[in-house]
Amino acid sequence: MLREIAEYPNSFGPLGPNDERIETDRYTLCMGPGKTWNTVQRQRMRADEIDEVLEEVRSLLRKRGRPSTQWEVGSSAEPSDLVDRLLERGLIHDKDPYAVALVLTHEPPPPRPELVARRVETFEEFAAGAAVQWEAFESDEVEEARAMLPERWRDSPSVMHAAWLDGELVSAGTAAPTEHGLLLYGGATLPHARGRGAYRALLHARWQEAVRNGTPALITQGGSMSRPILERLGFERVGEVLMLLDEFGKRGLA
């Protein structure tokens, strides 16, 4: 169960007021508050159904004014060569196309004494944490994301933790509770503060949140930036995920 959650986290996390999740026998389509926040997960189809599923997913997105979607294809996807078949149909590799599904079930190392890490308590802290994520991930949709911040702060079922170094908020990450553990998203540290333990402090604060919830496990995906440090801190590999993009709106298929 933990492997499936780690491979397909958006299929199991709680939904916010502007989130939508469509579950079928062949896939799960997850849609977030922004028009480009879409992902297809939990693929279970026959090879001769791929074209039908592609058109079905595109149709659902077109009706909602969404021109593209990510496909997260995990180790348990069917058919086993789904990635190759999707690439043959025009999908492309995402910017960071490979991630490892990771799970931590024991307490990570404590933070260094010069760092403070905890759950954010005010909208100002929440906005500052979001700004750290935008900068660290070089987001190109900052204006849309900034406009949604008040609503996210007020209504989102997810929570944000942050780490402060010498009084400056330098690291932040979002987390969503599930009955099996805490799902981790978007953990990031400002470039000038990296290598000083901020990410480790952030992770420990999230572990404490999972323990308070009665679900002592952290579940996440590690891309090229986060995977090395997560594995050094004790996360275990339970699967792999390949990220593809279907930009059908840009290819005249909308």
Side-chain angles (χ1 to χ4, degrees), residues 7 29 33 35 49 107 124 135 159 175 177 180 190 197 254:
E7 288 186 351
L29 173 60
K35 66 180 181 179
E49 295 178 313
E107 184 175 3
E124 290 72 24
E135 179 176 346
V159 297
H180 299 284
L190 292 175

Side-chain angles (χ1 to χ4, degrees), residues 56-188:
E56 187 176 310
V57 168
R58 289 168 177 170
S59 178
L60 289 167
L61 293 166
R62 288 188 198 106
K63 291 176 182 177
R64 292 159 175 79
R66 295 172 178 245
S68 64
T69 186
Q70 185 185 61
W71 280 67
E72 297 186 35
V73 183
S75 306
S76 55
E78 298 176 5
S80 59
D81 61 347
L82 180 59
V83 168
D84 290 336
R85 291 177 181 270
L86 290 172
L87 291 171
E88 290 172 357
R89 288 161 169 81
L91 276 68
I92 61 175
H93 291 288
D94 204 346
K95 181 170 58 176
D96 195 1
Y98 174 76
V100 174
L102 297 165
V103 173
L104 182 71
T105 55
H106 58 83
E107 184 175 3
R112 296 175 181 173
E114 66 269 23
L115 285 150
V116 174
R118 58 170 171 78
R119 187 168 170 173
V120 300
E121 297 174 349
T122 66
F123 175 73
E124 290 72 24
E125 290 179 347
F126 178 71
V132 167
Q133 293 173 312
W134 299 334
E135 179 176 346
F137 291 115
E138 300 179 350
S139 174
D140 55 4
E141 299 175 357
V142 172
E143 293 307 315
E144 181 182 17
R146 182 177 289 114
M148 292 188 290
L149 280 179
E151 185 175 8
R152 284 181 54 204
W153 170 248
R154 183 179 64 248
D155 299 327
S156 175
S158 299
V159 297
M160 178 182 285
H161 296 81
W164 284 260
L165 177 64
D166 298 328
E168 178 189 6
L169 195 159
V170 297
S171 187
T174 310
T178 76
E179 61 180 315
H180 299 284
L182 198 65
L183 281 170
L184 308 185
Y185 304 101

Side-chain angles (χ1 to χ4, degrees), residues 22 30 38 43 50 54 86 96 101 131 171 174 189 202 206 232 237 240:
I22 297 174
C30 306
N38 313 298
Q43 303 90 3
I50 294 174
L54 267 174
L86 290 172
D96 195 1
S171 187
T174 310
T189 302
L202 177 69
R206 295 153 113 183
R232 285 200 303 272
R237 294 187 179 212
E240 297 179 334

